[in-house]
Amino acid sequence: MTDYIVAIDLGTSHITGIVGEKNTDGTFSIIACETVDPVSCIRRGIIYNRDNTATHVSSLLRRLESHLKGNFIDKVYIGIGGQSLHTVDHIEVKDIADGAAVTKEDIDVLKDQCEKYKPDLLDVLDVAPPVYYLDGRRDTNPVGVPCKRFEAHYKLVVGRSSIRRDITKSIKELARKELAGIIVSPLALADAMLSREEKELGCALVDFGAGVTTVSVYKDGNLLHMSVIPLGGNLITRDIISLQLTEAEAEKLKKEHGSAVLHKADEGEIIRVDMEGADREIEVNDLNAVIEGRAKEIIENVYARINEVTELKSLGSGIVLAGCAAELKNLPELLKEKCKIKVRPSAIRGGLVRGSGDMLGNPLYMLAVSLMLKGVEPCVSRPFTEHVASKGPETDAPETGDTGTSRSGNSGTQRSEGGTDNIKRPKGKGLKEKIKDLFGED
């Protein structure tokens, strides 16, 4: 059976699901990718309405299953994000006997101590690889080095406890899909986009989404800081609505004519908007004055978050700009002007995914692809049909069940609404009993 990984990005403006085939060389081939509109059930990167989220995810998974030739999606990886995500510093210390060297067991002891740490009112969602210090000196490979005081400096990624609880309730209990894992989205995105050299030289990954903007800073190969700004592209759209436009028209104008920077050349240019009841005329500079004001506010916040933890000029690899809202015209130029360092658009690193064309540079899919790349546990299974189940003499006849709603696309195999197979697995004898029947007790 082919190893398929299924991952879902719960975005504010779209929910994206992806199925990837894991190749023998460690790369992935994308089998299917689908998106649905979350219709406000995801707000600022977190689940707002559990029931509606479960409904949209179930619909998305049915569409993905239609590409899998009758195979079923049993479990999924879910990306976790939201405005409460941030990093906190945590240090674990161990005294080493005089004259002795650090061992692998010492590292494991500190790791176990770190995993037992529970911050007040927050969940530890992930732990970035630690930085080690021996008698105050940094060391990337401490095993075998003698010292008296051994320290491990951890970056814990934490968030509100409700984030994990809402995902479990919505996906596992309501959509009835097992969770293969919950992955911190900004960490997955950074691993998929930033090279080892970029992390070593220093780099800030800015994910400019619809609901929030996430800033992740790397230095000397390690995660230095992560925080979430509760401002995103949707806020720009709401500002444009103040020009007496509907939300749909405001979003359309932002994408087609919007710019993060005002240009004198646009003075006097008019946009004609076809609206039910009465057409409108809007000056391009009136539109972009609204956009520029909010874009500058968001960039000021990005600048402040990075500047809190390191000097911007020390980031040798500059800023990498990701997210669907980062498609706003002239946004990279505005960010570069403020931060005085180079800014480049994001893309999945080469050599990770085979032949997916423009998908690897499309912000709509990049986070889902990044989550898929972190998957290790197969998520898709081939069902037992009545024909296969009744073939062998050692199996009992399969039980029958009520017919449910078709959820496997072209195959026509039936499943119930809750996601449970109505095709019953045969109650055959165990392996030990089968061997006894064939060869006797000996």
Side-chain angles (χ1 to χ4, degrees):
M1 178 68 186
T2 304
D3 282 355
Y4 291 117
I5 303 296
V6 182
I8 295 179
D9 165 31
L10 299 174
T12 302
S13 61
H14 56 271
I15 300 176
T16 304
I18 192 166
V19 180
E21 179 183 351
K22 205 166 187 177
N23 302 310
T24 54
D25 60 358
T27 63
F28 278 81
S29 297
I30 296 176
I31 304 301
C33 191
E34 298 280 354
T35 64
V36 296
D37 185 347
V39 197
S40 296
C41 65
I42 309 292
R43 294 187 180 177
R44 291 185 175 175
I46 58 176
I47 293 175
Y48 174 74
N49 186 309
R50 293 173 176 175
D51 290 354
N52 288 349
T53 300
T55 299
H56 289 307
V57 167
S58 295
S59 172
L60 182 68
L61 291 173
R62 285 194 294 270
R63 289 163 62 176
L64 289 173
E65 282 182 331
S66 71
H67 299 274
L68 296 179
K69 301 178 181 178
N71 295 326
F72 293 154
I73 295 174
D74 294 323
K75 57 188 73 171
V76 295
Y77 285 94
I78 299 290
I80 194 168
Q83 67 184 80
S84 71
L85 251 64
H86 63 281
T87 48
V88 297
D89 294 326
H90 181 69
I91 301 175
E92 292 289 349
V93 179
K94 190 176 189 300
D95 292 330
I96 306 297
D98 191 23
V102 175
T103 65
K104 176 65 167 58
E105 288 70 26
D106 293 326
I107 292 176
D108 292 340
V109 166
L110 296 188
K111 182 181 177 182
D112 290 342
Q113 290 175 191
C114 177
E115 290 174 350
K116 292 174 183 176
Y117 173 71
K118 304 293 180 186
D120 293 339
L121 305 176
L122 295 170
D123 266 0
V124 177
L125 305 172
D126 206 338
V127 180
V131 178
Y132 299 111
Y133 288 86
L134 287 71
D135 294 335
R137 302 185 310 275
R138 177 171 171 157
D139 198 314
T140 57
N141 186 22
V143 174
V145 181
C147 68
K148 294 181 179 180
R149 181 181 173 88
F150 178 42
E151 300 177 12
H153 292 221
Y154 295 93
K155 289 285 181 183
L156 309 182
V157 181
V158 300
R160 290 191 317 216
S161 58
S162 61
I163 298 178
R164 192 190 298 271
R165 184 173 63 245
D166 288 341
I167 288 176
T168 301
K169 182 69 177 179
S170 183
I171 307 303
K172 186 174 182 178
E173 297 181 26
L174 297 177
R176 298 191 181 183
K177 286 296 176 186
E178 288 296 319
L179 292 170
I182 296 176
I183 301 169
V184 175
S185 296
L187 296 182
L189 196 63
D191 286 346
M193 293 182 177
L194 305 181
S195 67
R196 182 178 59 82
E197 290 78 10
E198 286 176 317
K199 290 182 179 180
E200 285 285 345
L201 290 171
C203 184
L205 174 61
V206 179
D207 184 11
F208 191 14
V212 297
T213 300
T214 305
V215 180
S216 305
V217 182
Y218 286 83
K219 194 82 180 291
D220 298 324
N222 300 103
L223 178 65
L224 185 63
H225 168 82
M226 179 198 295
S227 62
V228 179
I229 301 164
L231 306 171
N234 281 357
L235 203 56
I236 296 176
T237 303
R238 292 194 188 102
D239 290 343
I240 299 172
I241 291 173
S242 67
L243 298 175
Q244 299 180 342
L245 296 167
T246 65
E247 184 174 352
E249 285 295 342
E251 183 68 18
K252 183 179 179 182
L253 288 185
K254 182 182 74 174
K255 291 180 177 179
E256 294 181 359
H257 303 281
S259 171
V261 179
L262 277 170
H263 290 292
K264 288 185 178 181
D266 293 331
E267 286 182 5
E269 185 176 343
I270 300 295
I271 307 168
R272 287 177 174 80
V273 183
D274 297 328
M275 298 182 66
E276 189 174 345
D279 294 344
R280 290 283 319 282
E281 289 188 349
I282 296 175
E283 287 196 23
V284 171
N285 274 0
D286 288 344
L287 170 69
N288 290 334
V290 172
I291 294 174
E292 185 186 60
R294 187 64 76 177
K296 282 184 174 180
E297 180 190 7
I298 295 172
I299 285 174
E300 286 286 348
N301 277 271
V302 170
Y303 174 86
R305 296 294 176 93
I306 299 173
N307 205 43
E308 283 176 6
V309 294
T310 189
E311 292 185 4
L312 278 100
K313 64 182 180 181
S314 71
L315 300 179
S317 295
I319 294 174
V320 177
L321 192 56
C324 285
E327 296 288 277
L328 179 63
K329 186 179 177 182
N330 293 319
L331 185 68
E333 288 75 11
L334 188 63
L335 185 58
K336 183 177 180 180
E337 180 185 337
K338 174 63 182 177
C339 297
K340 309 300 182 188
I341 56 176
K342 61 184 178 182
V343 177
R344 74 164 175 87
S346 60
I348 303 297
R349 289 186 291 116
L352 298 178
V353 181
R354 289 184 187 174
S356 298
D358 297 337
M359 184 178 289
L360 301 187
N362 189 331
L364 185 64
Y365 307 113
M366 280 193 284
L367 187 46
V369 173
S370 302
L371 297 171
M372 175 197 71
L373 292 171
K374 304 297 285 186
V376 294
E377 187 175 341
C379 300
V380 174
S381 67
R382 181 179 295 123
F384 288 106
T385 63
E386 285 195 29
H387 172 70
V388 173
S390 60
K391 250 185 176 182
E394 72 277 6
T395 61
D396 298 333
E399 298 176 8
T400 59
D402 296 332
T403 304
T405 305
S406 177
R407 298 196 51 191
S408 53
N410 300 328
S411 71
T413 306
Q414 302 296 309
R415 302 185 74 189
S416 69
E417 285 291 343
T420 310
D421 300 346
N422 278 314
I423 300 171
K424 304 297 183 182
R425 271 55 172 176
K427 294 182 177 179
K429 295 179 181 179
L431 178 61
K432 187 174 181 181
E433 286 73 14
K434 293 176 185 176
I435 294 173
K436 286 181 181 179
D437 288 347
L438 290 171
F439 302 106
E441 287 292 336
D442 294 334

